Amino acid sequence: MVEVCDQWVMAFISQDYKSSKLFSSIGVGLLLVSFLIVLSATLLLSCVTLQQKTSELSLQAERKSTTNNNAGGVCSGLLLTTKTKIRSKKLNWRMLLLESQLTPFLCENSQTFSTSQKQSLNFIPEVKDTVVNDDIGAYPDSFSFSQETEFHVSKKREVLETAENEPEAKLSLNMALRMKKCGKVEKALKLYQHAMALNLLHPDILTYYGEFIENQDKNVIEADQLYKRAQTVCPEHSRALANRVRTLPVVKGLDQEQLNRIDRKRNQLFQVPDNDPSLKRMKKEAYFEHIHHTVALEGNTMTLAEIRSIVETRMAVPGKSIMEHNEIIGLESALKYINNSLVTNLGTITVDDILEIHKRVLGHVDPVEAGTVRRSQVHVNKHVSPPPAEVLDLMEDMIDWLNSDKTLKLHPVKYAALAHYKFVFIHPFMDGNGRTGRLFMNLILMRAGYPLVIVRKQDHSLYYKCIQLANEGDVGPFIRFMGDCTERTLDVYLFATKYGTASFQALEGHDGQIKSSIIKS
């Protein structure tokens, strides 16, 4: 192409300027140059257009990612704002005042919150998120609503650990059976206990350990409890079912013997004249003892002498908290109300009666919550209480059961124990359920002619263990426990009519030992 151009240029130069071919050559040259210019311009424009499209596509991609991030932030911000607005509606005016004081300080170093978010964001816990001190749990504090997730996670972890320990538990069970067959009872007992510690829900372990207790210790009642638990875990377990068919009639006979002893001792107490000096003194001492043990079950540190001083003189005890004083005063007020109004009332027990009892129990401790059912969900130890919306309906159902003809035919001790358990299962109040429940039980017993039954502070762990067993489906141990408490109280009264107030030594047992054989039946 270069050679052609050179030849065309030389021919153009060698031409005659006056010739007509000169003008034709000039026209062809201009056309050729114009074509080259247009071609270059077209290529340059195409490159520029392609570069612009590439930059626009990258810019659109960046805008899209930025829009998604902003949308997520806006949604989370709106969700947070909505939640905090709902929470703020539940707070009282004091919390809102404190919120207005804390919000500028909490948002001082943050530049991402909008003005609306600063006004609605709240760091003050709701009532349901605070720890509720209650007196029915096995410990002074109880599970709050904010710990629900943690509670369920720990429960699942416990089930998983039990499954992981199952091979070792079975190995311990097999070794225990071998030791028992060889006559090595002590080693067999330790191996059974080790297997139970590893897996409390294995039906074979429960069944064989129950057989061991039944044969070696002759403890039919505890063996029957293990058989029943094995049936609860595995209803089709034939060995547990066969054992329970054998032990259940024996256990029922033992329970009936206990109730018959209680009836005989109550009738024996009826024969003591009301003006007997020993009986009068005993009633007064039992009054102080009941207050002492009831509040001590909930962690009150007052001694019997200090409680007597508060009740009789209304003088404060140095070094003790106001809360402990108010617990004693409230319980005494509730006892007086029951004794003066409800015991002699021949009508049926109503929900209002229970609310009035609780109003006096908690009236000096928390006047706002006194006599009012709870409005939030709480967890008590391992027990999940019913939702607050169902509390009043459950209370009405309990009262209907309490006043039904079938229930009224039960033995008073069994009747009172079941009523007490139903009450604490519903857990109708934020605080004071244990004290109110025991007063409720004593109201039923006193109407049937029994004295004020005392649940000793020494039996704290046994008392809550029986409640936990009832929550798991076996209410028998709780009824027997309340029967033992009733029988022991009757023994103390009968012993006092003969030997004076030295009979209070029967209330000084330890480690859950229940001694109710002071008076021979």
Side-chain angles (χ1 to χ4, degrees):
M1 184 177 180
V2 176
E3 293 179 355
V4 174
C5 291
D6 290 340
Q7 291 177 2
W8 180 80
V9 172
M10 292 303 296
F12 177 75
I13 294 173
S14 64
Q15 287 182 2
D16 187 6
Y17 292 104
K18 295 181 179 180
S19 175
S20 59
K21 293 182 179 180
L22 176 63
F23 297 102
S24 300
S25 300
I26 292 173
V28 172
L30 291 174
L31 288 174
L32 181 60
V33 172
S34 300
F35 175 74
L36 293 175
I37 292 174
V38 171
L39 181 63
S40 301
T42 303
L43 293 174
L44 181 63
L45 183 61
S46 300
C47 293
V48 172
T49 305
L50 181 62
Q51 185 178 3
Q52 289 180 352
K53 288 184 177 180
T54 306
S55 62
E56 287 179 0
L57 290 175
S58 62
L59 183 59
Q60 289 178 0
E62 291 180 359
R63 288 178 178 177
K64 186 176 181 179
S65 61
T66 306
T67 304
N68 291 336
N69 293 335
N70 292 338
V74 170
C75 291
S76 61
L78 291 174
L79 181 61
L80 179 61
T81 304
T82 304
K83 288 183 178 180
T84 52
K85 284 182 178 180
I86 294 174
R87 288 185 179 181
S88 63
K89 290 180 180 180
K90 297 180 180 179
L91 300 176
N92 54 30
W93 64 273
R94 294 182 181 177
M95 290 187 175
L96 292 175
L97 178 61
L98 188 55
E99 177 190 2
S100 63
Q101 296 173 354
L102 289 179
T103 301
F105 173 76
L106 295 172
C107 299
E108 182 179 1
N109 298 325
S110 178
Q111 302 297 329
T112 59
F113 292 120
S114 64
T115 305
S116 61
Q117 286 174 327
K118 286 184 180 180
Q119 292 176 355
S120 60
L121 189 61
N122 176 36
F123 287 92
I124 300 176
E126 298 181 36
V127 176
K128 67 178 182 180
D129 293 329
T130 58
V131 177
V132 180
N133 291 329
D134 199 273
D135 57 1
I136 191 60
Y139 299 96
D141 55 346
S142 49
F143 288 97
S144 64
F145 183 76
S146 61
Q147 294 173 315
E148 181 177 6
T149 303
E150 182 179 353
F151 171 79
H152 289 292
V153 169
S154 62
K155 190 68 177 177
K156 292 179 180 178
R157 189 184 301 116
E158 181 181 349
V159 174
L160 292 176
E161 290 177 355
T162 302
E164 292 176 357
N165 296 332
E166 185 173 349
E168 185 179 354
K170 288 183 177 180
L171 181 60
S172 298
L173 175 61
N174 293 331
M175 291 299 297
L177 293 174
R178 291 182 183 180
M179 293 297 105
K180 179 185 176 183
K181 188 175 181 180
C182 296
K184 300 178 180 180
V185 179
E186 294 182 359
K187 291 185 178 181
L189 176 60
K190 292 180 180 180
L191 288 169
Y192 276 124
Q193 292 174 348
H194 180 64
M196 288 286 292
L198 292 173
N199 195 333
L200 282 170
L201 303 177
H202 198 287
D204 291 338
I205 297 175
L206 293 168
T207 302
Y208 284 108
Y209 185 46
E211 292 176 355
F212 180 82
I213 292 176
E214 183 182 359
N215 296 328
Q216 298 297 326
D217 300 338
K218 306 301 179 183
N219 193 340
V220 183
I221 293 178
E222 186 175 353
D224 183 73
Q225 294 176 14
L226 294 173
Y227 301 150
K228 185 173 183 179
R229 185 180 297 182
Q231 275 191 289
T232 303
V233 176
C234 182
E236 297 83 10
H237 200 279
S238 58
R239 194 181 185 95
L241 179 60
N243 290 335
R244 188 124 201 279
V245 170
R246 182 185 67 256
T247 58
L248 184 59
V250 179
V251 172
K252 287 185 176 180
L254 294 174
D255 291 341
Q256 189 59 44
E257 288 180 7
Q258 183 190 43
L259 297 177
N260 293 337
R261 287 198 310 270
I262 291 174
D263 289 339
R264 288 196 298 269
K265 293 176 181 180
R266 183 198 61 175
N267 296 335
Q268 190 175 351
L269 185 61
F270 278 164
Q271 298 175 3
V272 180
D274 292 336
N275 58 357
D276 184 270
S278 299
L279 183 60
K280 289 183 178 180
R281 178 67 185 274
M282 183 62 211
K283 289 180 179 179
K284 185 176 181 181
E285 295 295 331
Y287 184 78
F288 295 123
E289 286 279 353
H290 181 271
I291 297 175
H292 169 60
H293 285 278
T294 298
V295 297
L297 281 171
E298 322 308 334
N300 195 298
T301 61
M302 292 280 191
T303 64
L304 179 60
E306 290 170 342
I307 290 175
R308 180 190 293 271
S309 174
I310 293 172
V311 173
E312 290 181 342
T313 66
R314 297 296 180 182
M315 298 292 292
V317 177
K320 299 297 182 179
S321 66
I322 298 176
M323 186 71 69
E324 290 182 323
H325 286 80
N326 289 336
E327 287 176 354
I328 295 168
I329 295 173
L331 187 62
E332 191 215 3
S333 176
L335 277 172
K336 288 182 177 179
Y337 170 73
I338 291 173
N339 191 49
N340 296 331
S341 301
L342 299 181
V343 173
T344 57
N345 185 10
L346 299 179
T348 59
I349 300 175
T350 63
V351 175
D352 292 335
D353 295 334
I354 299 175
L355 295 178
E356 289 295 328
I357 294 173
H358 183 262
K359 183 186 295 185
R360 287 159 177 79
V361 169
L362 215 64
H364 295 81
V365 177
D366 190 354
V368 176
E369 295 292 338
T372 305
V373 297
R374 56 183 171 86
R375 295 176 294 276
S376 61
Q377 179 72 42
V378 292
H379 295 94
V380 186
N381 200 13
K382 294 183 179 181
H383 171 61
V384 181
S385 59
E390 300 177 3
V391 170
L392 285 177
D393 291 337
L394 291 174
M395 290 286 286
E396 292 290 347
D397 293 341
M398 183 188 70
I399 294 300
D400 293 339
W401 170 86
L402 200 69
N403 298 319
S404 64
D405 295 335
K406 184 178 179 180
T407 306
L408 292 173
K409 294 178 182 179
L410 293 174
H411 190 277
V413 174
K414 185 181 293 187
Y415 177 36
L418 289 174
H420 177 30
Y421 170 68
K422 283 179 176 289
F423 177 84
V424 297
F425 180 85
I426 298 172
H427 203 81
F429 307 112
M430 292 295 295
D431 190 18
N433 292 278
R435 285 163 283 177
T436 306
R438 290 187 288 276
L439 289 174
F440 179 40
M441 177 190 70
N442 271 298
L443 169 60
I444 297 173
L445 289 173
M446 286 191 290
R447 281 188 167 188
Y450 291 86
L452 199 62
V453 174
I454 299 173
V455 180
R456 303 180 304 176
K457 62 180 181 180
Q458 294 92 333
D459 299 328
H460 175 277
S461 59
L462 182 59
Y463 172 57
Y464 291 112
K465 180 182 178 181
C466 292
I467 292 179
Q468 182 60 34
L469 289 174
N471 291 336
E472 295 174 0
D474 189 4
V475 75
F478 186 73
I479 297 175
R480 295 185 198 101
F481 174 78
M482 287 305 172
D484 289 332
C485 293
T486 305
E487 187 176 4
R488 181 177 52 247
T489 303
L490 289 170
D491 287 339
V492 172
Y493 269 87
L494 292 174
F495 194 87
T497 57
K498 294 183 179 181
Y499 305 103
T501 56
S503 59
F504 277 109
Q505 294 176 355
L507 297 175
E508 302 302 326
H510 297 282
D511 301 328
Q513 297 177 359
I514 297 180
K515 300 177 181 179
S516 57
S517 58
I518 298 177
I519 304 295
K520 293 183 180 180
S521 57

